[in-house]
């Protein structure tokens, strides 16, 4: 079972970027932890990671993936991108939205997500564990629909 994990703009800076909000863990470590966690769910989960600072590249990746499910932290594009939302809807991929921080408890503009409505659900506020919780939920949805 292949799962695509997409991280949007500035998430390549994790570890250095506003650690009081996003934690001290860099993206490579978060990804490696997710691989280890996936093994505890099922040894046949294959994860592909993609990070980009460019909206169109994220749209292209969603359109061309052969993954069965998508975990996406669209970062700032969460609050602006009709294009990413349309791409997820357009290819009908089962997706979970992830945020490290609790976006609902921050600035007003972060309370709006263009992506939530095309996802199965959202996990926010648990720093790197948000990705693991999303994988747990997505894996069980995909497994139950096989
Ligand atoms: C974020 C929250 C967004 O509002 C912000 O722009 C990010 C990261 C998060 O993971 O908490 O870049 O998606």
């Amino acid at each position: 079972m292949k799962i695509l994990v997409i991280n949007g703009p500035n998430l390549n800076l994790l570890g250095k970027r506003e650690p009081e909000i996003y934690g001290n863990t860099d993206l490579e470590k978060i990804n490696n932890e997710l691989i280890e966690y996936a093994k505890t769910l099922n040894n046949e989960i294959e994860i592909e990671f993609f990070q980009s600072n460019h909206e169109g590249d994220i749209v292209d990746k969603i359109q061309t993936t052969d993954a069965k499910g998508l975990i996406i932290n669209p970062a700032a594009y969460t609050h602006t991108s009709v294009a990413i939302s349309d791409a997820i809807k357009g290819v009908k991929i089962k997706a979970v939205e992830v945020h490290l921080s609790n976006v609902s408890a921050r600035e007003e503009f972060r309370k709006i997500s263009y992506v939530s409505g095309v996802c199965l659900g959202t996990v926010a506020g648990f720093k790197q564990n948000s990705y693991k919780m999303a994988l747990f939920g997505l894996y069980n949805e995909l497994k139950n629909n096989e």
Side-chain angles (χ1 to χ4, degrees):
M1 183 191 291
K2 185 166 167 184
I3 307 279
L4 174 63
V5 177
I6 295 182
N7 279 291
N10 301 307
L11 295 173
N12 54 313
L13 298 178
L14 286 176
K16 298 182 282 225
R17 175 192 180 203
E18 299 178 271
E20 64 289 356
I21 297 175
Y22 300 117
N24 294 302
T25 312
D26 67 20
L27 191 57
E28 196 186 341
K29 184 146 190 277
I30 291 175
N31 291 348
N32 287 334
E33 275 186 19
L34 194 64
I35 291 171
E36 290 310 309
Y37 176 68
K39 288 180 193 160
T40 69
L41 294 174
N42 183 323
N43 259 328
E44 280 166 21
I45 298 176
E46 180 198 342
I47 306 180
E48 182 186 349
F49 295 100
F50 181 77
Q51 190 279 326
S52 176
N53 295 325
H54 306 281
E55 187 176 22
D57 290 345
I58 294 172
V59 170
D60 286 344
K61 189 70 192 175
I62 293 167
Q63 284 187 13
T64 55
T65 188
D66 60 354
K68 268 192 98 179
L70 170 67
I71 291 172
I72 183 163
N73 183 346
Y77 290 140
T78 307
H79 320 297
T80 63
S81 183
V82 177
I84 292 174
S85 170
D86 281 352
I88 295 170
K89 202 171 179 187
V91 301
K92 296 197 182 87
I93 191 166
K94 287 204 160 62
V96 178
E97 178 187 7
V98 163
H99 300 286
L100 296 134
S101 65
N102 180 0
V103 280
S104 302
R106 298 180 64 194
E107 302 96 319
E108 282 301 310
F109 70 86
R110 291 188 208 275
K111 293 180 184 163
I112 292 163
S113 170
Y114 283 81
V115 177
S116 320
V118 294
C119 289
L120 296 169
T122 299
V123 184
F126 297 96
K127 302 225 169 77
Q128 70 263 37
N129 286 330
S130 294
Y131 293 88
K132 294 177 200 149
M133 294 160 82
L135 182 61
F136 175 83
L138 182 59
Y139 167 68
N140 280 288
E141 281 291 321
L142 294 173
K143 187 183 72 173
N144 293 335
N145 286 314
E146 259 174 5

